[in-house]
């Protein structure tokens, strides 16, 4: 589909993430929770990669590691060949401008005290891009891209004046306003109803086309992943059990867990095309 | 075509709309809160009492200009040399050197407001900043700040003030304000810290982090607006305690001797030996202290209901 299919943008090697419970007096057993276990994964430039798994399988943790909201216990993560584990200061800030995230709950991911303009404009302000006037036109333009048009109407509103779908569009606008190379979308539609979800999928596809962005789409919904993604990875108990093109995963699953996932899928009516 | 929101016309695409919406948002929110607040019997009572004292405090600026003998500190009625009861020229009577008690009461209201509000403000700012930093940073800094808060919280503030003022002589009113503020921030910072802890992991904070925002920006731009209402609530309670501490300190003779205040009036009535035969001198400052602290307390309780809808009674808006 894309010309640069072969070059990988994100490379994870042997990434492990453990949560060690806080040690208290007299507690001898160190029961650690392994969220990710020796994960190897590469995401190609320009693709939408779907990460499918049930709750607690570590899929959100993987996304949070990629945007460096958390640090891996061991292993290495690199963006375009350069390690991101050890970034600090200005280089970390530079990395932040290249990788963005869309969160699950649009009711939680927008600060109720900031207007839409302030929310979307924040990455621009933080990264020191443009002056007030340029930022304003950029925010208005981005609002139009995510389908909140006319942008003027939404510019000065507050999150409580918007519906769930509109809020998630604002969250998407905030993620794309810096024109990052890579976006982690962590179950962006799980809190929304199906018709709005499909609109947002279309929006994500359109954004990928316009900006040539790479998207990691995290979901528990295999059907949604099949609709949206080029390749799908299935994650189970912290291990990636199968990675393949969407067609192969659905049509010819290899791992028993993938088969089980497909079997429990309630319906499979929206095949691609 | 104009659309109508709450009786106000808004042009859908008008240029002024942005400004209007912005103002509308805050105004509306304020009016809504105010309505709940004023419909609450506690809040109503508090506001009325507070209003009376505010008028008194403002009147204290006017009274000395009517006649120099009404100056609360240095104005002396030349005809009077002992404490006298209420009369037409002196509504509440005079003290033992012929100063007007009503003028002193008005001045006392002003001082109570200054002491109460400014020390509450300082302690709130201090408590809020420390609480936010402590909650946001976590780890060793959190432990250190919170243990410091614990230590200060269990110190008896009045005793500390008494010891300090007997060590360094009598304090200026602003130093008293400052010390009260220093003694009173820990409770605020505990509350703000716990609120910050719950905000810290909200996705909108993380989104800002992913965008590359600095810690300072996250604290002051994202966390502060969310904890501010709570801080204001605590401010009303701090006002109460600051007024009481200042009154107690003055009554015990450790106040600012160059400043009339209600506590100081009580100290003078006691020191001059008029405690038991000048009720017109003893009662007004005592009642005023009780009423003003009560007003702020009621205000705080009513504000609590505005902030926490669960406290509102059924059937009320």
């Amino acid at each position: 589909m894309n010309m640069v299919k072969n070059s990988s943008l994100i490379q994870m090697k042997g990434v492990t993430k453990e949560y060690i419970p806080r040690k208290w007096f007299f507690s001898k057993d160190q029961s650690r929770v392994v969220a990710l276990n020796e994960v190897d994964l590469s995401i190609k430039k320009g693709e939408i990669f779907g990460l499918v798994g049930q709750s607690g399988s570590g899929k959100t943790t993987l996304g949070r590691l990629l945007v460096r909201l958390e640090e891996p216990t061991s292993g290495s993560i690199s963006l375009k060949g350069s390690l991101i584990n050890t970034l600090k200061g200005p280089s970390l800030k530079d990395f932040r401008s290249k990788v963005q995230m869309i969160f699950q709950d649009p009711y939680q991911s927008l600060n109720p005290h900031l207007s839409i303009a302030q929310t979307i404009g924040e990455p621009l302000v933080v990264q020191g891009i443009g002056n007030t006037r340029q930022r304003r036109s950029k925010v208005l333009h981005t609002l139009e891209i995510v389908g909140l048009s006319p942008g003027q109407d939404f510019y000065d509103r507050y999150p409580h004046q918007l519906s769930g779908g509109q809020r998630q569009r604002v969250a998407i606008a905030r993620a794309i306003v810096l024109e990052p190379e890579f976006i982690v979308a962590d179950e962006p539609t799980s809190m929304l109803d199906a018709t709005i979800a499909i609109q947002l999928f279309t929006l994500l596809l359109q954004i990928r086309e316009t900006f040539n962005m790479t998207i990691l789409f995290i979901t528990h919904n295999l059907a949604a992943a099949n609709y949206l993604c080029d390749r799908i990875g299935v994650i189970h108990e912290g291990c990636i059990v199968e990675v393949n093109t969407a067609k192969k995963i659905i049509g010819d699953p290899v791992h028993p867990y993938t088969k089980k996932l497909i079997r429990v899928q309630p319906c499979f009516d929206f095949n691609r095309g | 075509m104009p659309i109508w929101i709450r009786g106000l016309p808004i042009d859908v695409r008008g240029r002024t709309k942005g400004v209007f919406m912005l103002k509308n948002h805050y105004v509306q929110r304020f009016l809504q809160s105010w309505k709940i607040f004023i419909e609450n019997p506690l809040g109503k009572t508090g506001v009325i009492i507070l209003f009376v004292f505010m008028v008194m405090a403002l009147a204290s600026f006017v009274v000395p200009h009517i006649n120099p003998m009404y100056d609360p500190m240095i104005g002396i009625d030349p005809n009077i040399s002992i404490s006298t009861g209420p009369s037409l020229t002196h509504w509440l009577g005079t003290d033992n050197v012929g100063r007007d008690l009503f003028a002193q009461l008005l001045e006392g209201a002003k001082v109570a407001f200054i002491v109460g509000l400014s020390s509450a403000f300082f302690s709130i700012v201090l408590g809020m900043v420390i609480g936010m930093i402590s909650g946001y940073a976590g780890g060793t800094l959190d432990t250190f700040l919170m243990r410091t808060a614990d230590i200060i919280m269990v110190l008896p503030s009045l005793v500390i003030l008494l010891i300090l003022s007997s060590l360094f002589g009598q304090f200026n009113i602003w130093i008293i304000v400052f010390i009260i503020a220093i003694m009173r921030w820990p409770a605020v910072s505990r509350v703000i810290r716990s609120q910050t802890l719950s905000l810290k992991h909200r996705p909108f904070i993380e989104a800002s982090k992913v965008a590359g925002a600095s810690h300072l920006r996250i604290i002051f731009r994202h966390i502060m607006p969310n904890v501010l209402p709570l801080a204001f609530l605590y401010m009303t309670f701090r006002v109460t305690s600051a007024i009481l501490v200042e009154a107690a300190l003055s009554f015990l003779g450790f106040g600012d001797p160059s400043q009339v205040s209600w506590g100081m009036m009580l100290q003078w009535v006691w020191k001059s030996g008029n405690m038991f035969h000048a009720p017109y001198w003893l009662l007004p400052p005592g009642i005023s202290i009780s009423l003003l602290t009560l007003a702020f307390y009621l205000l705080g309780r009513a504000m609590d209901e505005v902030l926490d809808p669960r406290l509102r009674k059924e059937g009320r808006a």
Side-chain angles (χ1 to χ4, degrees):
Chain A
M1 227 164 111
N2 277 288
M3 350 155 227
V4 268
K5 264 235 149 168
N6 293 324
S7 58
S8 69
L9 185 78
I10 293 279
Q11 192 87 46
M12 297 176 89
K13 277 207 186 95
V15 173
T16 300
K17 176 72 187 174
E18 290 174 348
Y19 293 99
I20 301 163
R22 202 170 139 188
K23 211 172 161 184
W24 274 107
F25 301 111
F26 312 122
S27 71
K28 274 185 183 159
D29 59 312
Q30 276 285 14
S31 57
R32 45 186 67 189
V33 181
V34 182
L36 287 177
N37 192 7
E38 298 281 327
V39 169
D40 295 303
L41 181 68
S42 81
I43 298 172
K44 292 170 192 161
K45 197 169 183 344
E47 77 174 341
I48 299 184
F49 187 89
L51 193 61
V52 183
Q54 65 192 35
S55 349
S57 58
K59 55 190 194 303
T60 297
T61 306
L62 196 148
R64 291 168 62 88
L65 286 174
L66 288 180
V67 295
R68 252 201 80 166
L69 273 173
E70 279 172 57
E71 325 253 321
T73 314
S74 66
S76 69
I77 306 171
S78 50
L79 174 79
K80 287 198 292 187
S82 55
L83 272 181
I84 66 163
N85 303 34
T86 50
L87 289 179
K88 269 201 185 91
S91 52
L92 178 63
K93 201 165 178 175
D94 189 48
F95 164 76
R96 297 283 194 213
S97 71
K98 288 181 195 148
V99 174
Q100 288 290 308
M101 185 162 181
I102 301 166
F103 291 87
Q104 179 175 10
D105 185 352
Y107 292 90
Q108 294 277 314
S109 68
L110 304 179
N111 188 343
H113 291 274
L114 296 190
S115 72
I116 302 310
Q118 286 169 322
T119 301
I120 299 176
E122 183 170 44
L124 296 172
V125 175
V126 166
Q127 297 285 346
I129 295 167
N131 57 32
T132 316
R133 207 166 42 82
Q134 288 166 331
R135 282 201 290 264
R136 184 188 160 86
S137 67
K138 177 76 186 168
V139 169
L140 284 173
H141 181 63
T142 313
L143 277 169
E144 302 276 348
I145 290 175
V146 298
L148 295 175
S149 113
Q152 295 274 1
D153 264 14
F154 292 90
Y155 193 78
D156 283 314
R157 288 210 199 168
Y158 282 81
H160 70 91
Q161 295 167 315
L162 303 184
S163 68
Q166 287 174 328
R167 280 170 189 242
Q168 198 58 292
R169 282 174 194 268
V170 171
I172 293 173
R174 174 177 56 193
I176 65 165
V177 74
L178 287 171
E179 296 180 19
E181 297 178 30
F182 180 55
I183 290 183
V184 174
D186 182 9
E187 305 199 44
T189 56
S190 67
M191 309 289 286
L192 307 166
D193 56 57
T195 47
I196 289 168
I198 211 88
Q199 288 170 13
L200 288 184
F201 291 157
T202 321
L203 176 63
L204 283 177
L205 285 171
Q206 187 191 325
I207 285 168
R208 190 263 294 266
E209 287 301 312
T210 9
F211 296 98
N212 192 24
M213 275 177 203
T214 312
I215 299 174
L216 174 68
F217 182 73
I218 299 172
T219 183
H220 56 252
N221 186 346
L222 205 48
N226 179 45
Y227 175 79
L228 199 62
C229 303
D230 304 311
R231 288 196 307 149
I232 293 178
V234 179
I235 187 168
H236 180 53
E237 285 177 358
C239 300
I240 294 202
V241 294
E242 191 172 357
V243 177
N244 218 329
T245 58
K247 242 178 213 151
K248 283 237 176 91
I249 286 273
I250 304 299
D252 181 23
V254 178
H255 196 273
Y257 180 71
T258 316
K259 286 179 184 160
K260 193 179 145 205
L261 262 188
I262 292 170
R263 211 166 48 242
V264 297
Q265 202 66 35
C267 88
F268 249 108
D269 280 333
F270 30 49
N271 264 318
R272 257 183 182 205
Chain B
M1 196 187 98
I3 56 163
W4 292 77
I5 295 180
R6 283 175 194 252
L8 296 166
I10 305 171
D11 184 32
V12 176
R13 297 202 184 201
R15 280 188 69 83
T16 52
K17 199 195 155 205
V19 183
F20 182 82
M21 290 289 287
L22 192 69
K23 270 190 194 155
N24 200 28
H25 172 69
Y26 284 114
V27 168
Q28 244 182 49
R29 210 187 258 184
F30 177 76
L31 286 180
Q32 253 172 15
S33 307
W34 178 254
K35 205 169 153 241
I36 298 165
F37 186 78
I38 206 71
E39 275 175 5
N40 184 315
L42 295 179
K44 207 184 284 174
T45 321
V47 167
I48 291 169
I49 300 176
L50 207 61
F51 182 74
V52 172
F53 279 111
M54 269 173 175
V55 171
M56 282 173 66
L58 289 178
S60 77
F61 291 100
V62 184
V63 170
H65 295 289
I66 298 171
N67 189 331
M69 82 172 174
Y70 289 137
D71 188 289
M73 198 67 206
I74 51 167
I76 295 168
D77 190 331
N79 304 322
I80 295 170
S81 56
I82 54 156
S83 176
T84 55
S87 65
L88 270 180
T89 40
H90 303 288
W91 290 355
L92 286 178
T94 63
D95 69 0
N96 58 335
V97 290
R99 295 184 294 188
D100 187 74
L101 286 177
F102 187 63
Q104 288 190 351
L105 195 73
L106 298 184
E107 179 74 5
K110 185 180 91 184
V111 171
F113 270 110
I114 292 175
V115 169
L117 290 177
S118 54
S119 87
F121 180 76
F122 286 143
S123 66
I124 286 301
V125 169
L126 206 61
M128 192 168 73
V129 170
I130 292 177
M132 288 192 306
I133 291 174
S134 180
Y136 183 77
T140 324
L141 187 61
D142 181 31
T143 314
F144 172 73
L145 289 173
M146 282 304 111
R147 291 301 84 78
T148 312
D150 288 342
I151 291 168
I152 294 177
M153 197 149 34
V154 295
L155 291 178
S157 51
L158 191 61
V159 176
I160 297 279
L161 268 167
L162 289 179
I163 292 169
L164 284 177
S165 54
S166 52
L167 273 177
F168 299 106
Q170 253 138 357
F171 284 134
N172 170 316
I173 193 97
W174 287 106
I175 297 185
I176 294 173
V177 162
F178 188 67
I179 295 175
I180 295 175
I182 294 278
M183 302 299 297
R184 293 303 164 111
W185 63 263
V188 187
S189 72
R190 293 225 131 226
V191 174
I192 299 294
R193 172 181 171 269
S194 65
Q195 188 78 1
T196 307
L197 283 179
S198 84
L199 284 166
K200 189 165 81 168
H201 294 294
R202 292 275 200 82
F204 66 79
I205 304 278
E206 297 193 322
S208 170
K209 217 180 274 176
V210 169
S214 64
H215 297 310
L216 276 181
R217 188 183 167 86
I218 290 175
I219 287 179
F220 287 104
R221 185 102 173 133
H222 290 281
I223 294 178
M224 198 166 84
N226 286 292
V227 299
L228 216 50
L230 209 61
F232 273 116
L233 167 68
Y234 270 78
M235 187 165 161
T236 60
F237 295 131
R238 292 306 97 166
V239 172
T240 308
S241 72
I243 292 172
L244 286 178
V245 168
E246 195 275 337
L249 202 63
S250 299
F251 174 68
L252 293 173
F254 293 92
D256 185 346
S258 64
Q259 184 67 59
V260 179
S261 74
W262 291 336
M264 229 40 199
M265 288 173 76
L266 292 173
Q267 149 82 358
W268 286 329
V269 69
W270 181 51
K271 265 282 168 69
S272 65
N274 287 304
M275 196 80 155
F276 296 104
H277 35 84
Y280 53 86
W281 189 355
L282 175 68
L283 290 180
I287 293 171
S288 297
I289 291 171
S290 315
L291 276 182
L292 186 59
T293 52
L294 177 74
F296 275 109
Y297 177 74
L298 293 177
L299 223 63
R301 285 285 307 277
M303 225 142 118
D304 217 1
E305 286 195 20
V306 174
L307 295 181
D308 189 351
R310 284 171 300 178
L311 292 177
R312 280 177 224 156
K313 290 213 177 71
E314 290 290 321
R316 218 188 287 145

